[in-house]
Amino acid sequence: MQIRYFFRSTRAVAESAYARLEPAFEDEGAPLAITEIDEAAGLWEVAAYLEVAVGDDGEAVSGDERAEEFRAAAGLGADVEIGCEVLPDKDWMADVLAELKPVRAGRFVVHGAHDRDKIGAHELSIEIEAGMAFGTGHHGTTAGCLTLIDRVVRKRRPRAVLDLGTGSAVLAIALAKLARLAVIATDIDPVAVSVAAQNVRANEVAGLVETVRADGFAVPAVRRRAPFDLIVANILAGPLIRLAPDFRRHAARNADVVLSGILVEQAPAVRAAFRAQGFAHRETLVMGEWVALHLRRLAI
């Protein structure tokens, strides 16, 4: 039986606990996840998917022990509430793959290995397998970014490109395949960086895409490549607003910026933060409740 154990707290506590959990459950191969669940409240969730022994009556016989193991591994006090959720015994990956259909945006098609035969001769294939926490490219924000990237690169070929918060590396792979562009792809999560590197190799663009762990722009590999002619970032509105001054410091004059992970109601605040840093609005794509933005740094 598999049970999802989780707790919710501030980002600092969540990141510290996640870092502790990784080595604690590494040998077991237990999936872990860290997710921002309420941006306004600054609330994050950390979860571990742990196997639990089952008795003859079908009930978990070590559930409480595993909950305390999770608490201790995460370095949490007795006052922190540990939630648990029993997961149905089913082939989750098979169900996910069955539901995922190829996504087309611009010249790109994001798909799993099971849909390779559905890709047209003139389409740019981005193959991403379903995973626990890093994205398959099927979210509307990704399609919006891919569409804007296609439009930007058709008109202006950048030389230095950054994919900030790369996740599964969908956008970095797209840029590399679209125009053989060299891309540096960063993420704050070391596990995401590892998954991104695997996807880069699987899509045969390892010679063009460098994957690096970084919190924002604060890493030597990013500073060495700056200034960038194109920066793409599909993260969240709050971090984008906080990082707006860093975007300016690392963007070349007339650089293009493609942003998403932004709810419709958050778009004005994001545009205002970047306008204050000298970025002009070029285009907005609306995908349901989400938007993707194309901005350009003014040559001043």
Side-chain angles (χ1 to χ4, degrees):
M1 175 187 296
Q2 191 175 67
I3 297 182
R4 186 176 81 96
Y5 295 97
F6 62 93
F7 78 95
R8 295 171 178 176
S9 188
T10 63
R11 174 177 175 174
V13 172
E15 289 183 347
S16 174
Y18 185 81
R20 290 170 176 265
L21 287 168
E22 280 193 284
F25 295 110
E26 183 177 7
D27 290 342
E28 184 176 336
L32 306 175
I34 180 169
T35 310
E36 184 177 35
I37 60 173
D38 189 332
E39 182 181 352
L43 190 62
W44 289 64
E45 180 183 275
V46 175
Y49 297 74
L50 305 179
E51 293 296 332
V52 175
V54 179
D56 293 337
D57 58 359
E59 297 295 323
V61 298
S62 59
D64 291 343
E65 289 86 348
R66 297 241 70 182
E68 290 309 309
E69 183 183 355
F70 172 76
R71 181 192 302 278
L76 304 174
D79 58 323
V80 177
E81 181 179 356
I82 304 297
C84 66
E85 175 186 9
V86 178
L87 301 179
D89 185 14
K90 61 189 292 188
D91 189 339
W92 287 97
M93 194 58 67
D95 280 7
V96 169
L97 290 174
E99 294 176 3
L100 292 181
K101 307 301 180 185
V103 172
R104 288 172 167 83
R107 286 174 278 181
F108 305 108
V109 184
V110 184
H111 64 93
H114 60 295
D115 279 325
R116 285 176 184 167
D117 60 344
K118 298 178 182 177
I119 310 306
H122 300 292
E123 293 180 314
L124 291 174
S125 161
I126 305 173
E127 187 172 304
I128 304 291
E129 287 303 291
M132 289 299 298
F134 307 110
T136 60
H138 288 69
H139 195 279
T141 58
T142 307
C145 285
L146 289 171
T147 300
L148 290 179
I149 285 170
D150 190 14
R151 293 176 184 176
V152 168
V153 176
R154 279 178 187 268
K155 297 176 182 178
R156 312 175 80 202
R157 181 185 174 91
R159 292 168 297 177
V161 184
L162 170 65
D163 177 11
L164 183 73
T166 194
S168 57
V170 171
L171 302 182
I173 293 166
L175 286 159
K177 288 197 169 190
L178 180 62
R180 307 305 296 172
L181 297 172
V183 185
I184 180 166
T186 70
D187 202 284
I188 192 172
D189 188 331
V191 181
V193 174
S194 176
V195 171
Q198 293 173 29
N199 289 333
V200 165
R201 291 191 295 271
N203 282 270
E204 300 181 343
V205 290
L208 292 169
V209 180
E210 179 185 2
T211 54
V212 178
R213 183 182 182 277
D215 185 355
F217 293 83
V219 64
V222 170
R223 291 194 292 269
R224 283 197 303 269
R225 298 240 198 145
F228 295 96
D229 305 300
L230 173 61
I231 303 175
V232 298
N234 183 11
I235 46 178
L236 292 169
L240 288 173
I241 290 171
R242 291 194 296 272
L243 289 169
D246 283 333
F247 273 81
R248 176 177 175 81
R249 281 192 284 270
H250 293 82
R253 292 181 179 181
N254 289 314
D256 291 293
V257 172
V258 173
L259 309 175
S260 198
I262 306 163
L263 292 168
V264 170
E265 60 268 24
Q266 296 170 332
V270 175
R271 288 198 301 267
F274 278 79
R275 186 168 56 247
Q277 298 299 323
F279 289 88
H281 174 255
R282 291 293 180 179
E283 185 176 3
T284 295
L285 285 183
V286 179
M287 303 83 60
E289 61 181 342
W290 301 92
V291 302
L293 302 175
H294 172 205
L295 311 174
R296 182 170 294 160
R297 184 184 170 188
L298 301 175
I300 55 175

